[in-house]
Amino acid sequence: MQTAERLRALVYPETCAPDELLVAGPVGRISPGDAAALDYRPAVPGERLGPLWATYWFQLRATVPEAWQGRRVDLLWVSRSESTLWIDGRSVQGLNTGGGGERPDALLLHEARGGEQLELAIELACNGMFGRKEVLPELERCELAVFDPDAWRLFFDFETLRALECEAGLDPSWAGELRSELNRFCNEGDPQILAALYEHTNGTHAHEIAAIGHAHIDTAWLWPLAESYRKTVRTFSSQTRYMDDYPEYRFACSQAQQYAWIKERNPDLWERILEKARNGQFVPVGGSWVEPDCNIPSGESLLRQFVHGQRFFEEELGARCNEFWSPDAFGYCSQLPQLMRQAGLSRFLTQKLSWNRFNRPDHHTFVWQGIDGSEVLGHYPPADTYSSDAQVPDLMRTQREYLDHESSGTSLLVFGYGDGGGGPTRAMLESLRRAHDLQGLPRTRVTSSDEFFEALEAEAGERPVVVGELYLEYHRGVYTSQAFTKQLNRRCEQLLHDAEFLACARGGAYPGAELDRLWKLLLLQQFHDILPGSSIALVYDDARRDFHEIERGAAALCPGGETPVNTLGFPRREVVTSPAGELRVVEAPPYGPGRLVQADDAVRVDGLTLENEHLLVRLGEDGGVESVIVKATRRETLAAAGNRLELYDDRPTKFDAWDIDPFHLETRADCEPADSWEVVSNGPLRAEVAFARRVGAASTLRQVVRLDAGARRLEFHTTVDWHEEHKLLKVCFPLDVRAPNATYEMPFAYAERPTHFSTSFDRARYEVPGHRFADLSEHGFGAALLTDSKYGYSCYGNELRISLLRSPKSPDPDADMGGHEFAYALLPHVGGWREAGVVAEGMRFNAPIRWVRDAPDESFASVDDPNLVLDTIKRAERSEALVLRLYEAHGGRGVARVALAAPFTRAHLANALEDEADAVTVEDGRLVLPYRPHEVLTVVVR
Ligand SMILES: [Zn+2]
C-alpha cells in the first residue's frame, strides 16, 4: 500500500454499524416532515435504488460505543447518489458519492460522551452531480466511525508535500530535499520530519493567490429546477458547517434566485446563511438574479437581472454586490460594462473565454471597456476553472499560466465542486492551510471577492484595456437551439414591456407585485443553460410552463379590446388585422393610441409579382425571391435569388446542443424547390403568396410571403414541421451590397462583425448572435433582415443569413422536433441602416399594434431625436414615480427632448437601481436630455 493510502486509512480506525436502518420510497421530492410519515422497511445493503429522479428516505438509529468517549464521531455514507443528512428536521450536510466531487462523510459529534442514541434521516436523490447516472444508486456503506485528528493532519501534511515534489519546474535543490525527506518519513513515520519541511517558506517575492470557495450551481441544466433547489440545500448546509471548523473559510455564492428559494423553503438554513453572511464567511456575490446568458436577453432584461439581484442582496443580505460574477456564460455583449456600472458593479469575474477555440484571451486581469467607454475591472482565474480542487497542481498552474505578471502580483483561485458536487470539501481547506506560504508554491490565502479585487485595484501601474464585446469562440449553436425558448423569451420581454407601459398610461394602482413576480420568472428562464438551449427535456417542460405563465400573467394585466395602441417609442402607420379579422390601416404616435385611416397606397399582385409604392418584388416559382427593386432609386437589392433555404450537416464533435462547428460550412445543400404556390391575398391592403415545400429527409415547410400596402419590408411567415437529425436550416439573401462589416442588433446596442475570414479572429465569427435585425450596408444603400424570434446570424461576403432551426440530439434527444412558426423580413433601404430607421423597423416587426380595452388618449411620451430610443416606461421600483429608460442606438451624440403627456414637477437622472442623481433640465414642458454614444439613460419623473 502506498504511504498516502496507508495514512488515509488511519483516519477512521474504528467503525460500527447502526442499530437500525430503514428505508421508504421511491417518492417524489417531499419535505422532511412528509417523509417522517412514510412507511419504512428495513434497508437491504446492496439494494439498487431507482429510477432516475426518484427519492428515498432513510431512518438511521445508532448507539455510539462507550469506548468512543471523548472522540469525534462521523457518519460514513456511500450510496452513489446525492443525499442530504437531516437531524431533527434540519438539513445538516450534503453527502454525495459516485459522481465526482466525493463527499462521503459528515461530522456527527465533536466529542462523544459514549452511549448516545442517534437518530438521523437521509434523503437520497437518484441522480448524480451531472444528472443522469449510468449506474443507479446503491447503498454501499453506512457506518458510524471514530475520527483520528492526528492521522487526518498527517495525511494532508504528507500529501501536500508529495504533490509539490511531483511538480515539474520546482527548484531542483528543494525538490531533492523534499524527495529525500519524504522518503525518510515513509521509512520512519516521524511527523517531525514533515513539520520541519513546512518551515521552508517563500523568499521575498512570490505570486499571491486569493482563494475563494464556491459552488457553481447551474440553476437548471442536466436536472430540473426542483433538483437545483435541493442541490443548493445540500451545498449551503455543508458549507455553513465547515465555516464553524475553518474560521478563515470564505464561500462565495451568486444568483439571488437560489438564496430566495432557501429563504422561502428552508428558513432554518436561511438563518444559518444570514449568520455566516454577517460574520463575512458566506459571501454573496454577483449582483444578478441568476447568472444569465449575456447575449440573448434584451438590454432591459440584463438590467433587470441586476435590479432584482441587487435589490435582493441589499434588502435580504444587507449590502449590494460589487462584482458581476459570471464565469460560465457563453460570451458577453458590449453593453455589459455600462449596465454593470449602472447597477453599482465595477468588477467582473469570468472564465468561459478561456474555452475559445481559435484565439486565447491575452490577459487574465484587464480593464474591460464597453461600447460606450464604461470600464470595469475584469479577471479570469488563471487556473482555468471555477471549480478548482485547491490542490497543489492548480496552485502551480495559477502561477504558471497567469498572463499578467508584469502588471499584477495576484490572481484568484475559485475552488469547490459545482453543481451536485456540493462546493469545497474539508480536504480542499486542509490543502490551502498547508500551501499558505510553503516554499515553491504561490502565497495563498482564503479571501472574499471584495478583498481580492481591492488588492488588484491597489496595484500600481497600467492595465491592459480590452474594448467591446467578449465573443466566445465556441458554443455558437446556443443562439438557435431550443427555438421555443428564444421565441417565448422575446415575446415575453415585449409583453412585460407593454404591460408596464399600459399600466403607467392607465394610471391608478400599479400592479407592481405581479410585475415583479412575472419579471423574476422571466429572469429565471434567462439562466445560462435554459435560454441557450443546452439543458435536458425536463428543464424545457418547466420552461414552457413558466413562459406560458408569464404570457397569461401579462395578458391579464392588459386585457384585449377594441382600441389600437402603439407600445413603441416610434410613430407608425401600417396595415393591421382588427379584432374582427378585417384588414385596416392604423396610424399611431409613439406610445399612443392608434386611429383608423384611409389607405394611401395599394399593393398589386400579378402572378408572382408584388408591388406597392416602395417595392417591386418578383418571386420565383421555387419559393425564392428573384428581384426586389427599391422604387425610389430603382435599385436592385439582390445579387442572386434570395430567400434561399439551405440545409447543413450539423454534427459538432462534442457539445451537440451547444456547438455549430466551422466545418458545417462545407456541407451546404440547397433545399428542394417549392412543390406549389398560390396567391392567398391579392390586395389592395395585403398581398400574399403561399409556398409549400419539403425540407430535408422528413420535414415540411410552408411560407407565406407578404407585402402590405405602404410597407417597406417583405415578410416571410413560416411554418415548419421539423423532423431532422443533426441538420441546420438557414435562409440566405445574397445582397447586391459590398461591405467589410455587417451590423447586428445587440442589447441596447449593435455589434459590427466582419464579412470575411482574413484573420483567425474574423474566421472565428462564422456564426454570431444578434437580436431583431442584421444589416449589410454600403454607402447610400443596404438591406436588413428582421426576425421575430431568431438570434443566430452569419454574413460571408455579400451573403447575409439567419440560422432558423437546428436538430441536436443531446442533451435533449427531442430538441426542436415538431411544429414551429416564425417570421422574418427583408428590409431594403436607401441610405445606411441608421438613417433608414432599421432599429425602429425591427421593433415594429416584433411589436404589432395591440388592441386593448383602454388606451391613452394621446401620445404618452415621445422623443424628438431618432438616435435616442425610449425603450421602457415603468413605475419606479420603490415609489410611484415614473421611470423612463432610453438608449442611444446609433453611436451618436446630441441633445434630445422628451415630451410627456402627464404633468410632472421634476425629473432626475438615475442609475439602473434608480438611485437619483442630477436634475434634468425642463424647457417648454419637455425634458432636455444630452446624450453621448451608446449611452443608457434612466430618468425618474415625478
Ligand atoms: Zn454554468
Side-chain angles (χ1 to χ4, degrees):
M1 196 186 276
Q2 304 243 332
T3 304
E5 287 171 42
R6 189 164 49 77
L7 293 172
R8 192 81 172 87
L10 296 175
V11 172
Y12 291 113
E14 288 174 53
T15 60
C16 81
D19 303 330
E20 185 177 48
L21 183 64
L22 304 175
V23 63
V27 293
R29 299 181 181 95
I30 58 175
S31 70
D34 291 344
L38 296 171
D39 274 339
Y40 285 81
R41 60 183 187 276
V44 181
E47 179 184 347
R48 286 285 164 92
L49 304 168
L52 180 69
W53 309 123
T55 295
Y56 291 79
W57 282 83
F58 289 84
Q59 287 183 345
L60 182 152
R61 290 182 213 5
T63 312
V64 177
E66 296 289 349
W68 292 3
Q69 187 193 0
R71 315 284 301 270
R72 176 179 136 183
V73 177
D74 285 7
L75 170 70
L76 303 182
W77 176 266
V78 178
S79 61
R80 287 203 238 127
S81 76
E82 288 183 69
S83 299
T84 314
L85 171 64
W86 295 81
I87 300 178
D88 299 332
R90 304 176 80 217
S91 59
V92 172
Q93 204 205 287
L95 288 159
N96 42 287
T97 47
E102 303 295 285
R103 195 180 310 271
D105 48 69
L107 189 158
L108 295 178
L109 299 169
H110 273 286
E111 197 176 328
R113 293 191 314 272
E116 289 99 327
Q117 300 286 322
L118 302 180
E119 287 195 14
L120 317 175
I122 293 160
E123 175 190 21
L124 182 149
C126 292
N127 44 259
M129 177 167 165
F130 294 119
R132 178 172 287 281
K133 290 171 58 71
E134 298 310 316
V135 185
L136 283 175
E138 169 186 336
L139 187 55
E140 287 179 17
R141 184 175 198 187
C142 172
E143 288 175 311
L144 298 195
V146 66
F147 174 87
D148 182 339
D150 294 334
W152 168 258
R153 279 193 292 270
L154 202 59
F155 168 73
F156 287 103
D157 285 350
F158 176 78
E159 187 53 25
T160 303
L161 293 168
R162 188 202 59 74
L164 179 61
E165 189 276 325
C166 290
E167 280 295 319
L170 196 65
D171 166 37
S173 90
W174 175 223
E177 166 93 358
L178 283 170
R179 243 184 335 271
S180 141
E181 289 299 285
L182 289 173
N183 187 58
R184 195 159 71 84
F185 170 78
C186 292
N187 292 330
E188 300 174 12
D190 179 0
Q192 286 311 314
I193 297 172
L194 303 184
L197 289 170
Y198 279 101
E199 298 291 313
H200 294 260
T201 57
N202 283 302
T204 54
H205 197 87
H207 183 64
E208 291 185 4
I209 291 182
I212 188 159
H214 182 50
H216 179 77
I217 303 178
D218 288 297
T219 297
W221 179 28
L222 302 176
W223 53 86
L225 292 168
E227 196 57 42
S228 304
Y229 162 67
R230 296 207 297 192
K231 286 174 190 281
T232 62
V233 169
R234 293 176 205 119
T235 303
F236 301 163
S237 300
S238 303
Q239 299 311 318
T240 46
R241 196 129 207 253
Y242 299 162
M243 289 169 195
D244 293 333
D245 299 332
Y246 296 86
E248 77 277 20
Y249 180 34
R250 301 283 181 279
F251 174 74
C253 173
S254 61
Q255 313 201 69
Q257 169 71 82
Q258 296 182 2
Y259 288 91
W261 281 336
I262 299 286
K263 175 172 185 267
E264 188 187 307
R265 304 181 202 172
N266 192 333
D268 169 72
L269 175 57
W270 176 242
E271 282 306 315
R272 278 177 271 160
I273 290 172
L274 287 180
E275 182 202 323
K276 298 299 183 191
R278 277 191 292 270
N279 79 6
Q281 288 188 281
F282 205 107
V283 184
V285 292
S288 56
W289 185 251
V290 295
E291 287 182 21
D293 181 89
C294 291
N295 282 321
I296 303 174
S298 67
E300 186 62 25
S301 286
L302 289 171
L303 266 191
R304 300 295 175 101
Q305 288 284 353
F306 295 136
V307 168
H308 286 285
Q310 289 287 51
R311 249 179 72 184
F312 185 91
F313 289 117
E314 185 171 31
E315 288 170 7
E316 304 294 344
L317 291 144
R320 293 176 183 173
C321 302
N322 295 310
E323 70 293 283
F324 179 34
W325 186 278
S326 180
D328 197 28
F330 309 145
Y332 303 90
C333 66
S334 66
Q335 274 291 20
L336 269 174
Q338 182 178 194
L339 303 185
M340 287 165 57
R341 278 287 185 178
Q342 295 210 357
L345 304 163
S346 59
R347 301 155 175 173
F348 177 48
L349 184 283
T350 184
Q351 181 77 71
K352 203 70 180 187
L353 263 70
S354 64
W355 289 33
N356 276 0
R357 295 286 104 171
F358 290 71
N359 305 285
R360 295 290 293 260
D362 294 325
H363 299 286
H364 285 116
T365 302
F366 57 100
V367 170
W368 184 24
Q369 193 180 85
I371 190 169
D372 73 312
S374 296
E375 293 185 343
V376 295
L377 179 56
H379 184 75
Y380 302 93
D384 204 4
T385 174
Y386 42 85
S387 314
S388 169
D389 61 6
Q391 303 302 302
V392 166
D394 269 2
L395 300 177
M396 295 298 275
R397 189 167 175 207
T398 296
Q399 170 173 273
R400 193 173 59 240
E401 301 293 326
Y402 192 42
L403 292 166
D404 298 284
H405 286 298
E406 296 88 342
S407 55
S408 169
T410 182
S411 64
L412 193 66
L413 180 82
V414 180
F415 68 95
Y417 298 121
D419 295 326
T425 60
R426 289 175 187 270
M428 295 177 192
L429 294 166
E430 294 290 345
S431 169
L432 289 172
R433 277 187 172 178
R434 282 157 184 78
H436 184 54
D437 193 18
L438 183 59
Q439 181 168 1
L441 279 174
R443 242 172 226 137
T444 304
R445 64 200 172 88
V446 180
T447 59
S448 71
S449 167
D450 277 342
E451 284 173 282
F452 165 69
F453 276 105
E454 278 158 23
L456 265 192
E457 284 164 354
E459 289 180 338
E462 295 272 297
R463 289 256 179 248
V465 178
V466 175
V467 179
E469 76 171 328
L470 302 178
Y471 173 85
L472 177 65
E473 296 178 357
Y474 213 10
H475 294 357
R476 301 165 184 85
V478 300
Y479 320 137
T480 306
S481 297
Q482 298 282 7
F484 86 94
T485 61
K486 279 75 174 173
Q487 182 163 48
L488 291 175
N489 180 68
R490 184 144 347 144
R491 189 180 296 163
C492 288
E493 286 177 336
Q494 188 67 45
L495 287 172
L496 292 182
H497 167 276
D498 293 358
E500 289 183 331
F501 156 61
L502 290 168
C504 291
R506 224 175 10 241
Y510 189 71
E514 174 67 354
L515 283 164
D516 237 48
R517 181 181 79 86
L518 298 173
W519 259 113
K520 285 175 181 167
L521 203 52
L522 179 58
L523 299 178
L524 173 58
Q525 312 312 312
Q526 293 170 348
F527 177 72
H528 66 255
D529 282 309
I530 302 180
L531 183 54
S534 44
S535 285
I536 58 171
L538 281 176
V539 172
Y540 292 114
D541 293 344
D542 288 348
R544 274 192 187 83
R545 176 200 65 204
D546 290 347
F547 275 124
H548 291 143
E549 172 64 18
I550 301 164
E551 287 184 302
R552 260 197 310 278
L557 292 178
C558 22
E562 303 291 318
T563 316
V565 63
N566 173 17
T567 59
L568 296 177
F570 299 97
R572 61 206 296 178
R573 178 193 175 94
E574 62 202 42
V575 176
V576 300
T577 309
S578 74
E582 295 158 343
L583 288 179
R584 308 299 293 264
V585 178
V586 165
E587 194 174 77
Y591 287 110
R595 59 189 183 94
L596 302 178
V597 295
Q598 287 300 317
D600 55 2
D601 181 30
V603 61
R604 290 169 294 283
V605 186
D606 178 9
L608 288 164
T609 301
L610 316 176
E611 183 175 5
N612 69 6
E613 64 173 317
H614 300 300
L615 301 178
L616 173 60
V617 177
R618 206 173 66 246
L619 306 175
E621 293 198 339
D622 59 357
V625 181
E626 291 178 356
S627 167
V628 178
I629 291 173
V630 178
K631 288 165 73 174
T633 55
R634 295 197 204 151
R635 169 126 183 201
E636 171 61 57
T637 306
L638 301 173
N643 197 37
R644 186 171 78 210
L645 293 166
E646 305 169 338
L647 267 189
Y648 294 81
D649 287 345
D650 186 15
R651 296 182 180 279
T653 51
K654 55 179 178 176
F655 292 119
D656 210 10
W658 287 255
D659 284 349
I660 294 175
D661 280 347
F663 45 80
H664 86 281
L665 294 170
E666 298 157 19
T667 65
R668 176 186 136 196
D670 294 348
C671 292
E672 300 285 308
D675 299 322
S676 63
W677 63 271
E678 60 172 325
V679 175
V680 291
S681 308
N682 56 6
L685 290 181
R686 175 161 289 171
E688 289 178 317
V689 183
F691 295 88
R693 58 213 286 175
R694 280 161 295 167
V695 166
S699 307
T700 54
L701 182 146
R702 184 170 189 272
Q703 250 181 351
V704 175
V705 184
R706 174 190 296 174
L707 183 67
D708 280 346
R712 294 175 182 276
R713 62 180 191 244
L714 181 66
E715 300 178 359
F716 301 83
H717 295 264
T718 310
T719 333
V720 189
D721 190 24
W722 182 244
H723 298 280
E724 300 304 304
E725 295 197 357
H726 293 110
K727 294 287 180 190
L728 165 59
L729 179 68
K730 300 189 195 183
V731 65
C732 174
F733 287 83
L735 301 171
D736 197 13
V737 174
R738 179 166 173 81
N741 289 301
T743 306
Y744 305 84
E745 187 185 35
M746 290 297 283
F748 284 161
Y750 57 87
E752 289 173 341
R753 306 192 186 98
T755 57
H756 54 84
F757 293 166
S758 299
T759 69
S760 60
F761 293 90
D762 303 329
R763 200 155 54 243
R765 286 160 165 75
Y766 57 83
E767 177 84 14
V768 296
H771 284 214
R772 292 167 290 203
F773 72 82
D775 183 275
L776 191 66
S777 289
E778 60 189 30
H779 179 60
F781 185 82
L785 292 178
L786 314 178
T787 67
D788 72 343
S789 56
K790 300 300 171 190
Y791 293 86
Y793 296 90
S794 52
C795 189
Y796 186 72
N798 64 336
E799 296 190 322
L800 187 58
R801 291 182 171 84
I802 310 167
S803 294
L804 298 175
L805 289 172
R806 298 189 69 214
S807 41
K809 300 300 167 194
S810 167
D812 175 3
D814 294 320
D816 284 316
M817 293 298 98
H820 295 266
E821 263 189 71
F822 53 84
Y824 53 89
L826 174 69
L827 173 69
H829 51 80
V830 176
W833 64 272
R834 295 174 175 88
E835 308 84 73
V838 170
V839 172
E841 197 67 3
M843 289 187 169
R844 293 186 192 111
F845 187 57
N846 276 271
I849 291 275
R850 290 185 69 126
W851 297 81
V852 298
R853 197 180 293 163
D854 36 16
D857 306 330
E858 57 182 322
S859 171
F860 185 80
S862 61
V863 186
D864 69 348
D865 185 330
N867 291 338
L868 201 60
V869 176
L870 177 49
D871 186 85
T872 297
I873 296 174
K874 63 189 272 285
R875 290 262 175 222
E877 296 292 312
R878 288 165 166 142
S879 76
E880 287 296 300
L882 190 68
V883 171
L884 310 178
R885 187 115 49 224
L886 308 98
Y887 71 95
E888 197 291 312
H890 293 150
R893 194 181 295 269
V895 181
R897 283 170 176 74
V898 180
L900 289 174
F904 61 94
T905 53
R906 60 188 200 278
H908 285 82
L909 290 174
N911 65 9
L913 305 179
E914 299 171 10
D915 303 328
E916 293 177 36
D918 298 347
V920 174
T921 308
V922 179
E923 270 178 25
D924 303 331
R926 293 189 300 170
L927 305 172
V928 180
L929 289 180
Y931 62 86
R932 50 184 182 74
H934 311 291
E935 188 171 11
V936 177
L937 291 162
T938 301
V939 183
V940 180
V941 182
R942 291 197 166 75

